[in-house]
Amino acid sequence: MSDHDPQTAASDADIGLIQRIIPHRYPFLLIDKVREIVPHKSGVGIKNVTFNEPHFQGHFPGKPVMPGVTIIEAMAQTAAVVVGVSLDLADKEMLVYFMAIDKVKFRRMVVPGDVLELAVTVKRGGGKIWKFEGRATVGGELACEAEFTAMMDMPANG
């Protein structure tokens, strides 16, 4: 396949496109951009972790640590953007629901100032049910890994 094949060409999603694909907004929009999107295959989400995020007020006072569940949610949002780009779902009000989260391991704390990279790979997809593998890293160091399955609630009138 050529480099210009839309099924294999990598692309990026800025915050504007992310908001056109997934419904999440402050305080629960947990990715800033998605780069290296290969439709139906993979993408890398970027989360710039800042002290101003609401969960740091209570998790934990004096020692801010990004909750593990929000790291997994950021992976899922990245995956949803990959699906949205793959199926051309911008502006079509797609919703995504977790069905399973498996093989989760946390290896490093994520703290304000970190740039979290969320690499997701499609293990199975194409219809309503998609399965992904995700790895979250900071500076190349593994912070979290997981497999997760999600149902895409796609608009009936594409």
Side-chain angles (χ1 to χ4, degrees):
M1 294 187 167
S2 77
D3 289 341
H4 300 290
D5 184 331
Q7 297 300 310
T8 59
S11 63
D12 295 346
D14 64 9
I15 194 66
L17 181 55
I18 290 168
Q19 290 183 308
R20 292 175 55 209
I21 294 172
I22 62 175
H24 304 77
R25 297 296 183 265
Y26 178 85
F28 215 66
L29 179 55
L30 299 175
I31 53 176
D32 298 308
K33 70 178 172 180
V34 182
R35 59 180 171 80
E36 300 171 29
I37 299 169
V38 180
H40 304 280
K41 295 188 182 193
S42 62
V44 179
I46 303 297
K47 166 65 177 157
N48 295 300
V49 182
T50 166
F51 185 73
N52 292 324
E53 294 171 54
H55 50 256
F56 288 133
Q57 185 175 5
H59 197 271
F60 297 100
K63 179 133 176 86
V65 176
M66 186 173 180
V69 294
T70 59
I71 297 170
I72 296 167
E73 174 65 25
M75 281 185 208
Q77 290 180 17
T78 299
V81 171
V82 170
V83 171
V85 168
S86 299
L87 301 179
D88 191 26
L89 294 174
D91 303 317
K92 298 196 179 152
E93 301 180 12
M94 173 183 68
L95 295 175
V96 183
Y97 304 101
F98 271 126
M99 294 180 70
I101 303 170
D102 300 302
K103 300 181 183 175
V104 178
K105 292 190 171 84
F106 297 102
R107 304 292 188 197
R108 175 198 193 280
M109 286 188 279
V110 177
V111 300
D114 285 345
V115 175
L116 191 59
E117 293 196 16
L118 306 140
V120 297
T121 303
V122 176
K123 294 185 75 171
R124 184 179 68 243
K128 286 185 85 158
I129 309 297
W130 290 63
K131 185 167 187 173
F132 303 92
E133 183 176 82
R135 291 175 51 87
T137 59
V138 175
E141 187 178 347
L142 184 62
C144 176
E145 58 190 336
E147 290 182 2
F148 52 98
T149 305
M151 179 178 69
M152 307 301 157
D153 186 5
M154 297 180 222
N157 298 331

